[in-house]
Amino acid sequence: MPRLHRLLAWLFASPHLNRMPPPTDHESLQQRRRWCRDHCGDFAGRWFGIGAALWLFYVFPLRPVLPLEGASGWPGIAALVAFAMGVWYIARQIYAQSKVGPPRIDPPVDIHDDDDGPYSD
């Protein structure tokens, strides 16, 4: 069962959000939204990749030769579902960012030439 849980956690954000404390106050809800803003793009990319792989399998010219009984339309339908999941995660990320704002970017740091770093002569 741990492998199935690991696969579900790799595909969906719900297991990660369920491990966080429930949103009881405004700050915990904001924390969940910040997590979603920072990580939902990864889930969307995974779903887009799965959808692209299924779509390539669907349009593969030698697919009728493969020994798959009754695999006529399921890869195309599964590809559309995967693309829809990717769009849903992108929409979820955009919504979370609209609520909590963009991520904080650290100011640039000055690099001094007189530092004795690993590449100094």
Side-chain angles (χ1 to χ4, degrees):
M1 199 63 157
R3 289 183 184 175
L4 177 63
H5 182 67
R6 206 171 325 168
L7 176 68
L8 291 176
W10 188 75
L11 288 175
F12 300 104
S14 305
H16 301 285
L17 292 173
N18 288 340
R19 290 177 57 198
M20 298 176 86
T24 55
D25 59 347
H26 181 70
E27 183 56 37
S28 62
L29 181 62
Q30 294 297 85
Q31 180 184 8
R32 293 168 73 91
R33 287 179 176 161
R34 279 191 297 272
W35 186 92
C36 189
R37 174 198 65 196
D38 296 338
H39 297 285
C40 279
D42 298 336
F43 294 104
R46 291 172 189 158
W47 281 107
F48 285 140
I50 291 170
L54 287 170
W55 184 256
L56 287 175
F57 178 72
Y58 181 66
V59 298
F60 185 61
L62 297 177
R63 189 173 52 88
V65 180
L66 297 175
L68 296 173
E69 296 293 329
S72 58
W74 72 264
I77 294 170
L80 292 176
V81 170
F83 283 128
M85 288 295 295
V87 169
W88 182 71
Y89 273 112
I90 289 292
R92 192 171 175 178
Q93 182 181 23
I94 291 171
Y95 176 76
Q97 183 165 339
S98 72
K99 294 296 182 183
V100 295
R104 189 177 67 84
I105 299 174
D106 295 331
V109 178
D110 291 334
I111 299 175
H112 301 289
D113 290 336
D114 58 347
D115 268 350
D116 289 335
Y119 301 110
S120 63
D121 292 335

Short mmCIF file of all heavy atoms in Angstrom, two decimals, residues 45-112:
data_model
loop_
_atom_site.label_atom_id
_atom_site.label_comp_id
_atom_site.label_asym_id
_atom_site.label_seq_id
_atom_site.Cartn_x
_atom_site.Cartn_y
_atom_site.Cartn_z
N GLY A 45 2.45 19.92 -14.53
CA GLY A 45 3.45 19.42 -15.48
C GLY A 45 3.44 17.91 -15.58
O GLY A 45 3.60 17.35 -16.67
N ARG A 46 3.25 17.24 -14.45
CA ARG A 46 3.18 15.77 -14.48
C ARG A 46 1.98 15.30 -15.28
O ARG A 46 2.08 14.37 -16.08
CB ARG A 46 3.12 15.23 -13.05
CG ARG A 46 4.40 15.44 -12.30
CD ARG A 46 4.27 15.08 -10.85
NE ARG A 46 5.46 15.49 -10.13
CZ ARG A 46 5.52 15.70 -8.86
NH1 ARG A 46 4.45 15.52 -8.11
NH2 ARG A 46 6.63 16.09 -8.28
N TRP A 47 0.83 15.94 -15.05
CA TRP A 47 -0.37 15.54 -15.79
C TRP A 47 -0.25 15.86 -17.27
O TRP A 47 -0.69 15.07 -18.11
CB TRP A 47 -1.61 16.20 -15.20
CG TRP A 47 -2.08 15.50 -13.97
CD1 TRP A 47 -1.98 15.93 -12.68
CD2 TRP A 47 -2.72 14.22 -13.91
NE1 TRP A 47 -2.51 15.00 -11.82
CE2 TRP A 47 -2.98 13.94 -12.55
CE3 TRP A 47 -3.10 13.29 -14.87
CZ2 TRP A 47 -3.59 12.77 -12.15
CZ3 TRP A 47 -3.71 12.11 -14.45
CH2 TRP A 47 -3.95 11.86 -13.11
N PHE A 48 0.37 17.00 -17.62
CA PHE A 48 0.58 17.31 -19.04
C PHE A 48 1.52 16.29 -19.68
O PHE A 48 1.32 15.89 -20.82
CB PHE A 48 1.12 18.73 -19.22
CG PHE A 48 0.10 19.80 -19.01
CD1 PHE A 48 0.45 20.96 -18.34
CD2 PHE A 48 -1.19 19.68 -19.48
CE1 PHE A 48 -0.48 21.97 -18.15
CE2 PHE A 48 -2.13 20.67 -19.29
CZ PHE A 48 -1.77 21.82 -18.62
N GLY A 49 2.55 15.86 -18.95
CA GLY A 49 3.45 14.84 -19.48
C GLY A 49 2.76 13.50 -19.69
O GLY A 49 2.98 12.84 -20.72
N ILE A 50 1.93 13.11 -18.74
CA ILE A 50 1.18 11.86 -18.90
C ILE A 50 0.23 11.97 -20.08
O ILE A 50 0.09 11.04 -20.89
CB ILE A 50 0.41 11.53 -17.60
CG1 ILE A 50 1.40 11.15 -16.49
CG2 ILE A 50 -0.60 10.42 -17.82
CD1 ILE A 50 0.76 11.05 -15.12
N GLY A 51 -0.44 13.11 -20.20
CA GLY A 51 -1.35 13.31 -21.33
C GLY A 51 -0.62 13.28 -22.66
O GLY A 51 -1.11 12.70 -23.64
N ALA A 52 0.57 13.88 -22.73
CA ALA A 52 1.33 13.87 -23.98
C ALA A 52 1.77 12.44 -24.32
O ALA A 52 1.71 12.03 -25.49
CB ALA A 52 2.54 14.78 -23.86
N ALA A 53 2.20 11.68 -23.33
CA ALA A 53 2.61 10.29 -23.58
C ALA A 53 1.42 9.45 -24.06
O ALA A 53 1.55 8.66 -25.00
CB ALA A 53 3.22 9.69 -22.32
N LEU A 54 0.28 9.63 -23.44
CA LEU A 54 -0.91 8.88 -23.87
C LEU A 54 -1.36 9.30 -25.27
O LEU A 54 -1.80 8.47 -26.06
CB LEU A 54 -2.05 9.07 -22.87
CG LEU A 54 -1.88 8.33 -21.55
CD1 LEU A 54 -2.93 8.79 -20.55
CD2 LEU A 54 -1.98 6.83 -21.78
N TRP A 55 -1.25 10.59 -25.56
CA TRP A 55 -1.64 11.07 -26.88
C TRP A 55 -0.70 10.50 -27.95
O TRP A 55 -1.15 10.09 -29.02
CB TRP A 55 -1.66 12.59 -26.94
CG TRP A 55 -2.14 13.09 -28.26
CD1 TRP A 55 -1.42 13.60 -29.27
CD2 TRP A 55 -3.51 13.08 -28.71
NE1 TRP A 55 -2.23 13.92 -30.32
CE2 TRP A 55 -3.52 13.61 -30.00
CE3 TRP A 55 -4.70 12.67 -28.13
CZ2 TRP A 55 -4.68 13.75 -30.74
CZ3 TRP A 55 -5.86 12.81 -28.87
CH2 TRP A 55 -5.84 13.35 -30.15
N LEU A 56 0.60 10.47 -27.66
CA LEU A 56 1.54 9.88 -28.62
C LEU A 56 1.26 8.40 -28.81
O LEU A 56 1.37 7.87 -29.92
CB LEU A 56 2.97 10.10 -28.15
CG LEU A 56 3.48 11.53 -28.28
CD1 LEU A 56 4.87 11.65 -27.66
CD2 LEU A 56 3.50 11.97 -29.73
N PHE A 57 0.89 7.70 -27.74
CA PHE A 57 0.51 6.30 -27.88
C PHE A 57 -0.76 6.16 -28.70
O PHE A 57 -0.89 5.23 -29.50
CB PHE A 57 0.32 5.67 -26.50
CG PHE A 57 -0.10 4.23 -26.56
CD1 PHE A 57 0.78 3.25 -26.94
CD2 PHE A 57 -1.40 3.86 -26.24
CE1 PHE A 57 0.40 1.92 -27.01
CE2 PHE A 57 -1.79 2.53 -26.30
CZ PHE A 57 -0.88 1.57 -26.69
N TYR A 58 -1.68 7.11 -28.56
CA TYR A 58 -2.95 7.06 -29.29
C TYR A 58 -2.74 7.26 -30.78
O TYR A 58 -3.41 6.63 -31.60
CB TYR A 58 -3.91 8.10 -28.73
CG TYR A 58 -5.25 8.12 -29.38
CD1 TYR A 58 -6.12 7.05 -29.27
CD2 TYR A 58 -5.67 9.22 -30.12
CE1 TYR A 58 -7.36 7.07 -29.86
CE2 TYR A 58 -6.90 9.26 -30.72
CZ TYR A 58 -7.75 8.17 -30.60
OH TYR A 58 -8.97 8.19 -31.19
N VAL A 59 -1.83 8.14 -31.16
CA VAL A 59 -1.61 8.42 -32.59
C VAL A 59 -0.46 7.60 -33.17
O VAL A 59 -0.09 7.79 -34.32
CB VAL A 59 -1.35 9.93 -32.83
CG1 VAL A 59 -2.56 10.74 -32.42
CG2 VAL A 59 -0.11 10.41 -32.13
N PHE A 60 0.13 6.70 -32.37
CA PHE A 60 1.22 5.86 -32.83
C PHE A 60 0.74 5.00 -33.99
O PHE A 60 -0.28 4.30 -33.88
CB PHE A 60 1.70 4.98 -31.66
CG PHE A 60 2.90 4.14 -31.97
CD1 PHE A 60 4.09 4.73 -32.33
CD2 PHE A 60 2.83 2.77 -31.88
CE1 PHE A 60 5.21 3.96 -32.59
CE2 PHE A 60 3.94 1.99 -32.14
CZ PHE A 60 5.13 2.59 -32.50
N PRO A 61 1.43 5.02 -35.14
CA PRO A 61 0.90 4.31 -36.31
C PRO A 61 0.89 2.79 -36.18
O PRO A 61 0.09 2.13 -36.84
CB PRO A 61 1.84 4.75 -37.43
CG PRO A 61 3.03 5.31 -36.80
CD PRO A 61 2.64 5.76 -35.43
N LEU A 62 1.73 2.22 -35.36
CA LEU A 62 1.78 0.76 -35.23
C LEU A 62 0.94 0.24 -34.07
O LEU A 62 1.02 -0.92 -33.72
CB LEU A 62 3.23 0.30 -35.07
CG LEU A 62 4.15 0.58 -36.25
CD1 LEU A 62 5.56 0.14 -35.93
CD2 LEU A 62 3.65 -0.10 -37.50
N ARG A 63 0.12 1.10 -33.46
CA ARG A 63 -0.69 0.68 -32.33
C ARG A 63 -1.64 -0.47 -32.67
O ARG A 63 -1.83 -1.37 -31.85
CB ARG A 63 -1.46 1.85 -31.75
CG ARG A 63 -2.14 1.51 -30.45
CD ARG A 63 -2.76 2.73 -29.81
NE ARG A 63 -3.61 3.48 -30.69
CZ ARG A 63 -4.91 3.24 -30.86
NH1 ARG A 63 -5.49 2.28 -30.21
NH2 ARG A 63 -5.62 3.97 -31.69
N PRO A 64 -2.25 -0.52 -33.87
CA PRO A 64 -3.12 -1.67 -34.16
C PRO A 64 -2.37 -3.00 -34.18
O PRO A 64 -2.97 -4.06 -34.00
CB PRO A 64 -3.70 -1.35 -35.53
CG PRO A 64 -3.61 0.12 -35.65
CD PRO A 64 -2.37 0.51 -34.89
N VAL A 65 -1.06 -2.99 -34.37
CA VAL A 65 -0.28 -4.22 -34.40
C VAL A 65 -0.01 -4.74 -32.99
O VAL A 65 0.20 -5.93 -32.78
CB VAL A 65 1.04 -3.97 -35.17
CG1 VAL A 65 1.89 -5.23 -35.23
CG2 VAL A 65 0.75 -3.47 -36.57
N LEU A 66 -0.01 -3.84 -32.00
CA LEU A 66 0.30 -4.24 -30.63
C LEU A 66 -0.77 -5.18 -30.10
O LEU A 66 -1.95 -5.04 -30.42
CB LEU A 66 0.40 -3.01 -29.73
CG LEU A 66 1.52 -2.03 -30.08
CD1 LEU A 66 1.43 -0.80 -29.20
CD2 LEU A 66 2.88 -2.68 -29.92
N PRO A 67 -0.39 -6.16 -29.28
CA PRO A 67 -1.37 -7.14 -28.78
C PRO A 67 -2.21 -6.59 -27.63
O PRO A 67 -2.15 -7.09 -26.51
CB PRO A 67 -0.49 -8.30 -28.33
CG PRO A 67 0.79 -7.66 -27.93
CD PRO A 67 0.97 -6.49 -28.87
N LEU A 68 -2.98 -5.55 -27.88
CA LEU A 68 -3.86 -4.99 -26.87
C LEU A 68 -5.30 -5.17 -27.35
O LEU A 68 -5.71 -4.56 -28.33
CB LEU A 68 -3.57 -3.50 -26.64
CG LEU A 68 -2.19 -3.15 -26.08
CD1 LEU A 68 -2.00 -1.66 -26.09
CD2 LEU A 68 -2.08 -3.69 -24.67
N GLU A 69 -6.02 -6.02 -26.69
CA GLU A 69 -7.40 -6.28 -27.07
C GLU A 69 -8.29 -5.14 -26.62
O GLU A 69 -8.31 -4.76 -25.46
CB GLU A 69 -7.89 -7.59 -26.43
CG GLU A 69 -7.15 -8.80 -26.93
CD GLU A 69 -7.42 -9.09 -28.39
OE1 GLU A 69 -8.53 -8.80 -28.86
OE2 GLU A 69 -6.50 -9.60 -29.06
N GLY A 70 -9.02 -4.56 -27.51
CA GLY A 70 -10.00 -3.53 -27.16
C GLY A 70 -9.39 -2.21 -26.76
O GLY A 70 -10.05 -1.42 -26.09
N ALA A 71 -8.15 -1.93 -27.13
CA ALA A 71 -7.52 -0.66 -26.77
C ALA A 71 -7.70 0.34 -27.90
O ALA A 71 -6.76 0.96 -28.36
CB ALA A 71 -6.04 -0.88 -26.48
N SER A 72 -8.93 0.49 -28.36
CA SER A 72 -9.13 1.35 -29.52
C SER A 72 -9.21 2.82 -29.14
O SER A 72 -8.57 3.65 -29.76
CB SER A 72 -10.41 0.93 -30.25
OG SER A 72 -11.50 1.01 -29.35
N GLY A 73 -9.98 3.17 -28.12
CA GLY A 73 -10.17 4.58 -27.84
C GLY A 73 -9.75 5.05 -26.46
O GLY A 73 -9.72 6.24 -26.20
N TRP A 74 -9.40 4.14 -25.56
CA TRP A 74 -9.10 4.58 -24.20
C TRP A 74 -7.86 5.45 -24.09
O TRP A 74 -7.85 6.34 -23.24
CB TRP A 74 -9.05 3.40 -23.24
CG TRP A 74 -7.85 2.51 -23.38
CD1 TRP A 74 -7.76 1.36 -24.08
CD2 TRP A 74 -6.56 2.72 -22.81
NE1 TRP A 74 -6.51 0.83 -23.99
CE2 TRP A 74 -5.74 1.65 -23.22
CE3 TRP A 74 -6.01 3.70 -22.00
CZ2 TRP A 74 -4.41 1.53 -22.85
CZ3 TRP A 74 -4.68 3.59 -21.63
CH2 TRP A 74 -3.89 2.52 -22.04
N PRO A 75 -6.80 5.28 -24.91
CA PRO A 75 -5.66 6.20 -24.74
C PRO A 75 -6.01 7.64 -25.08
O PRO A 75 -5.55 8.57 -24.43
CB PRO A 75 -4.60 5.64 -25.68
CG PRO A 75 -4.97 4.23 -25.90
CD PRO A 75 -6.45 4.20 -25.84
N GLY A 76 -6.85 7.83 -26.08
CA GLY A 76 -7.25 9.19 -26.44
C GLY A 76 -8.11 9.83 -25.37
O GLY A 76 -7.92 11.01 -25.02
N ILE A 77 -9.04 9.07 -24.81
CA ILE A 77 -9.88 9.60 -23.74
C ILE A 77 -9.05 9.86 -22.48
O ILE A 77 -9.20 10.89 -21.82
CB ILE A 77 -11.04 8.61 -23.45
CG1 ILE A 77 -11.97 8.55 -24.67
CG2 ILE A 77 -11.80 9.02 -22.20
CD1 ILE A 77 -12.98 7.44 -24.60
N ALA A 78 -8.14 8.95 -22.16
CA ALA A 78 -7.27 9.14 -21.00
C ALA A 78 -6.36 10.35 -21.19
O ALA A 78 -6.07 11.07 -20.23
CB ALA A 78 -6.45 7.88 -20.74
N ALA A 79 -5.91 10.59 -22.42
CA ALA A 79 -5.08 11.77 -22.69
C ALA A 79 -5.87 13.05 -22.45
O ALA A 79 -5.35 14.01 -21.86
CB ALA A 79 -4.55 11.72 -24.12
N LEU A 80 -7.12 13.07 -22.88
CA LEU A 80 -7.95 14.26 -22.64
C LEU A 80 -8.20 14.48 -21.16
O LEU A 80 -8.18 15.61 -20.68
CB LEU A 80 -9.27 14.13 -23.40
CG LEU A 80 -9.16 14.19 -24.92
CD1 LEU A 80 -10.53 13.94 -25.55
CD2 LEU A 80 -8.58 15.51 -25.36
N VAL A 81 -8.41 13.40 -20.42
CA VAL A 81 -8.60 13.51 -18.97
C VAL A 81 -7.32 14.03 -18.31
O VAL A 81 -7.37 14.89 -17.42
CB VAL A 81 -9.03 12.16 -18.36
CG1 VAL A 81 -8.98 12.18 -16.85
CG2 VAL A 81 -10.42 11.78 -18.85
N ALA A 82 -6.16 13.54 -18.74
CA ALA A 82 -4.89 13.99 -18.18
C ALA A 82 -4.65 15.47 -18.48
O ALA A 82 -4.21 16.22 -17.61
CB ALA A 82 -3.74 13.14 -18.71
N PHE A 83 -4.95 15.90 -19.70
CA PHE A 83 -4.81 17.32 -20.03
C PHE A 83 -5.77 18.17 -19.20
O PHE A 83 -5.42 19.26 -18.75
CB PHE A 83 -5.03 17.57 -21.52
CG PHE A 83 -3.85 17.18 -22.37
CD1 PHE A 83 -4.02 16.35 -23.46
CD2 PHE A 83 -2.58 17.64 -22.09
CE1 PHE A 83 -2.95 15.99 -24.25
CE2 PHE A 83 -1.49 17.29 -22.87
CZ PHE A 83 -1.68 16.46 -23.95
N ALA A 84 -6.98 17.66 -18.98
CA ALA A 84 -7.94 18.40 -18.15
C ALA A 84 -7.44 18.51 -16.71
O ALA A 84 -7.60 19.56 -16.08
CB ALA A 84 -9.30 17.70 -18.20
N MET A 85 -6.83 17.46 -16.19
CA MET A 85 -6.25 17.53 -14.83
C MET A 85 -5.12 18.55 -14.78
O MET A 85 -4.99 19.29 -13.80
CB MET A 85 -5.74 16.16 -14.40
CG MET A 85 -6.82 15.15 -14.09
SD MET A 85 -7.83 15.61 -12.68
CE MET A 85 -6.64 15.53 -11.37
N GLY A 86 -4.31 18.61 -15.82
CA GLY A 86 -3.24 19.60 -15.87
C GLY A 86 -3.77 21.02 -15.88
O GLY A 86 -3.28 21.90 -15.16
N VAL A 87 -4.81 21.25 -16.66
CA VAL A 87 -5.43 22.58 -16.70
C VAL A 87 -6.06 22.91 -15.35
O VAL A 87 -5.99 24.05 -14.89
CB VAL A 87 -6.48 22.64 -17.84
CG1 VAL A 87 -7.32 23.89 -17.76
CG2 VAL A 87 -5.78 22.56 -19.19
N TRP A 88 -6.65 21.91 -14.69
CA TRP A 88 -7.26 22.15 -13.38
C TRP A 88 -6.20 22.57 -12.37
O TRP A 88 -6.42 23.49 -11.57
CB TRP A 88 -7.98 20.88 -12.91
CG TRP A 88 -8.67 21.06 -11.61
CD1 TRP A 88 -9.80 21.80 -11.37
CD2 TRP A 88 -8.29 20.51 -10.36
NE1 TRP A 88 -10.14 21.72 -10.05
CE2 TRP A 88 -9.23 20.95 -9.40
CE3 TRP A 88 -7.26 19.69 -9.96
CZ2 TRP A 88 -9.14 20.58 -8.07
CZ3 TRP A 88 -7.18 19.32 -8.64
CH2 TRP A 88 -8.12 19.77 -7.71
N TYR A 89 -5.02 21.92 -12.39
CA TYR A 89 -3.96 22.30 -11.45
C TYR A 89 -3.40 23.68 -11.77
O TYR A 89 -3.04 24.43 -10.86
CB TYR A 89 -2.86 21.25 -11.41
CG TYR A 89 -3.16 20.15 -10.42
CD1 TYR A 89 -3.43 18.87 -10.85
CD2 TYR A 89 -3.18 20.40 -9.07
CE1 TYR A 89 -3.72 17.86 -9.94
CE2 TYR A 89 -3.46 19.41 -8.15
CZ TYR A 89 -3.74 18.14 -8.60
OH TYR A 89 -4.03 17.16 -7.69
N ILE A 90 -3.30 24.03 -13.04
CA ILE A 90 -2.85 25.38 -13.39
C ILE A 90 -3.87 26.41 -12.90
O ILE A 90 -3.50 27.45 -12.34
CB ILE A 90 -2.63 25.50 -14.91
CG1 ILE A 90 -1.40 24.72 -15.32
CG2 ILE A 90 -2.50 26.95 -15.35
CD1 ILE A 90 -0.08 25.28 -14.83
N ALA A 91 -5.15 26.12 -13.09
CA ALA A 91 -6.19 27.05 -12.60
C ALA A 91 -6.14 27.16 -11.08
O ALA A 91 -6.32 28.25 -10.53
CB ALA A 91 -7.56 26.57 -13.07
N ARG A 92 -5.88 26.06 -10.41
CA ARG A 92 -5.78 26.08 -8.95
C ARG A 92 -4.59 26.91 -8.50
O ARG A 92 -4.68 27.66 -7.53
CB ARG A 92 -5.64 24.63 -8.47
CG ARG A 92 -5.81 24.44 -7.02
CD ARG A 92 -5.87 22.97 -6.70
NE ARG A 92 -5.91 22.76 -5.27
CZ ARG A 92 -6.01 21.59 -4.69
NH1 ARG A 92 -6.09 20.51 -5.42
NH2 ARG A 92 -6.05 21.49 -3.39
N GLN A 93 -3.49 26.82 -9.22
CA GLN A 93 -2.31 27.62 -8.90
C GLN A 93 -2.57 29.10 -9.13
O GLN A 93 -2.21 29.95 -8.32
CB GLN A 93 -1.11 27.15 -9.73
CG GLN A 93 0.16 27.90 -9.41
CD GLN A 93 1.32 27.45 -10.27
OE1 GLN A 93 1.13 26.91 -11.35
NE2 GLN A 93 2.51 27.67 -9.77
N ILE A 94 -3.23 29.43 -10.22
CA ILE A 94 -3.54 30.83 -10.51
C ILE A 94 -4.49 31.40 -9.47
O ILE A 94 -4.33 32.54 -9.00
CB ILE A 94 -4.12 30.96 -11.94
CG1 ILE A 94 -3.02 30.66 -12.97
CG2 ILE A 94 -4.72 32.34 -12.17
CD1 ILE A 94 -3.52 30.55 -14.38
N TYR A 95 -5.49 30.62 -9.07
CA TYR A 95 -6.42 31.08 -8.04
C TYR A 95 -5.70 31.32 -6.71
O TYR A 95 -5.92 32.33 -6.05
CB TYR A 95 -7.54 30.06 -7.86
CG TYR A 95 -8.49 30.42 -6.75
CD1 TYR A 95 -9.44 31.42 -6.93
CD2 TYR A 95 -8.44 29.77 -5.52
CE1 TYR A 95 -10.30 31.76 -5.90
CE2 TYR A 95 -9.30 30.11 -4.50
CZ TYR A 95 -10.23 31.10 -4.69
OH TYR A 95 -11.08 31.45 -3.67
N ALA A 96 -4.83 30.37 -6.34
CA ALA A 96 -4.09 30.52 -5.08
C ALA A 96 -3.19 31.75 -5.13
O ALA A 96 -3.09 32.50 -4.15
CB ALA A 96 -3.27 29.27 -4.80
N GLN A 97 -2.56 32.01 -6.27
CA GLN A 97 -1.70 33.17 -6.37
C GLN A 97 -2.50 34.46 -6.35
O GLN A 97 -2.06 35.47 -5.83
CB GLN A 97 -0.84 33.11 -7.64
CG GLN A 97 0.12 34.26 -7.74
CD GLN A 97 1.20 34.04 -8.76
OE1 GLN A 97 1.48 32.91 -9.13
NE2 GLN A 97 1.79 35.11 -9.22
N SER A 98 -3.72 34.42 -6.88
CA SER A 98 -4.55 35.63 -6.82
C SER A 98 -4.97 35.95 -5.39
O SER A 98 -5.22 37.11 -5.06
CB SER A 98 -5.78 35.47 -7.71
OG SER A 98 -6.70 34.57 -7.14
N LYS A 99 -5.02 34.93 -4.53
CA LYS A 99 -5.42 35.16 -3.14
C LYS A 99 -4.26 35.55 -2.23
O LYS A 99 -4.44 36.34 -1.32
CB LYS A 99 -6.10 33.91 -2.56
CG LYS A 99 -7.42 33.60 -3.21
CD LYS A 99 -8.40 34.69 -2.95
CE LYS A 99 -9.75 34.38 -3.55
NZ LYS A 99 -10.70 35.45 -3.38
N VAL A 100 -3.06 34.99 -2.45
CA VAL A 100 -1.94 35.26 -1.55
C VAL A 100 -0.85 36.12 -2.19
O VAL A 100 0.07 36.53 -1.51
CB VAL A 100 -1.32 33.96 -1.02
CG1 VAL A 100 -2.29 33.23 -0.15
CG2 VAL A 100 -0.77 33.10 -2.12
N GLY A 101 -0.94 36.37 -3.47
CA GLY A 101 0.06 37.20 -4.14
C GLY A 101 1.22 36.37 -4.65
O GLY A 101 1.35 35.19 -4.36
N PRO A 102 2.09 37.01 -5.42
CA PRO A 102 3.23 36.27 -5.98
C PRO A 102 4.24 35.91 -4.90
O PRO A 102 4.25 36.51 -3.83
CB PRO A 102 3.82 37.25 -7.01
CG PRO A 102 3.39 38.59 -6.54
CD PRO A 102 2.06 38.40 -5.87
N PRO A 103 5.10 34.95 -5.19
CA PRO A 103 6.10 34.58 -4.19
C PRO A 103 7.10 35.71 -3.96
O PRO A 103 7.36 36.51 -4.85
CB PRO A 103 6.78 33.35 -4.79
CG PRO A 103 6.46 33.38 -6.22
CD PRO A 103 5.18 34.12 -6.37
N ARG A 104 7.65 35.74 -2.75
CA ARG A 104 8.63 36.77 -2.40
C ARG A 104 9.95 36.44 -3.08
O ARG A 104 10.41 35.31 -3.08
CB ARG A 104 8.82 36.81 -0.89
CG ARG A 104 9.65 37.97 -0.41
CD ARG A 104 9.75 37.99 1.09
NE ARG A 104 10.50 36.85 1.61
CZ ARG A 104 11.83 36.83 1.71
NH1 ARG A 104 12.54 37.85 1.31
NH2 ARG A 104 12.42 35.78 2.21
N ILE A 105 10.55 37.45 -3.68
CA ILE A 105 11.84 37.28 -4.35
C ILE A 105 12.89 37.99 -3.52
O ILE A 105 12.72 39.17 -3.16
CB ILE A 105 11.80 37.84 -5.78
CG1 ILE A 105 10.75 37.08 -6.59
CG2 ILE A 105 13.17 37.74 -6.43
CD1 ILE A 105 10.52 37.65 -7.97
N ASP A 106 13.95 37.30 -3.20
CA ASP A 106 15.02 37.88 -2.40
C ASP A 106 15.75 38.95 -3.22
O ASP A 106 15.92 38.81 -4.43
CB ASP A 106 16.02 36.82 -1.97
CG ASP A 106 15.40 35.81 -1.03
OD1 ASP A 106 14.47 36.20 -0.31
OD2 ASP A 106 15.85 34.65 -1.02
N PRO A 107 16.19 40.02 -2.57
CA PRO A 107 16.93 41.05 -3.30
C PRO A 107 18.29 40.51 -3.74
O PRO A 107 18.82 39.56 -3.15
CB PRO A 107 17.09 42.17 -2.28
CG PRO A 107 16.94 41.53 -0.96
CD PRO A 107 16.01 40.37 -1.17
N PRO A 108 18.85 41.10 -4.78
CA PRO A 108 20.15 40.62 -5.24
C PRO A 108 21.23 40.85 -4.20
O PRO A 108 21.17 41.78 -3.40
CB PRO A 108 20.42 41.44 -6.50
CG PRO A 108 19.49 42.59 -6.44
CD PRO A 108 18.33 42.18 -5.59
N VAL A 109 22.22 39.99 -4.20
CA VAL A 109 23.32 40.05 -3.24
C VAL A 109 24.57 40.49 -3.98
O VAL A 109 24.88 40.00 -5.06
CB VAL A 109 23.54 38.67 -2.59
CG1 VAL A 109 24.71 38.70 -1.63
CG2 VAL A 109 22.28 38.21 -1.89
N ASP A 110 25.30 41.44 -3.39
CA ASP A 110 26.55 41.89 -3.99
C ASP A 110 27.62 40.82 -3.84
O ASP A 110 27.77 40.20 -2.79
CB ASP A 110 27.04 43.17 -3.31
CG ASP A 110 26.15 44.36 -3.64
OD1 ASP A 110 25.50 44.32 -4.71
OD2 ASP A 110 26.11 45.31 -2.84
N ILE A 111 28.37 40.62 -4.90
CA ILE A 111 29.47 39.68 -4.87
C ILE A 111 30.75 40.50 -4.85
O ILE A 111 31.00 41.32 -5.73
CB ILE A 111 29.45 38.75 -6.09
CG1 ILE A 111 28.16 37.95 -6.09
CG2 ILE A 111 30.66 37.85 -6.10
CD1 ILE A 111 27.96 37.09 -7.32
N HIS A 112 31.55 40.29 -3.84
CA HIS A 112 32.79 41.03 -3.69
C HIS A 112 33.94 40.27 -4.34
O HIS A 112 34.07 39.06 -4.17
CB HIS A 112 33.11 41.27 -2.21
CG HIS A 112 32.03 42.03 -1.50
ND1 HIS A 112 31.79 43.35 -1.72
CD2 HIS A 112 31.09 41.63 -0.61
CE1 HIS A 112 30.77 43.75 -0.97
NE2 HIS A 112 30.31 42.71 -0.29
#
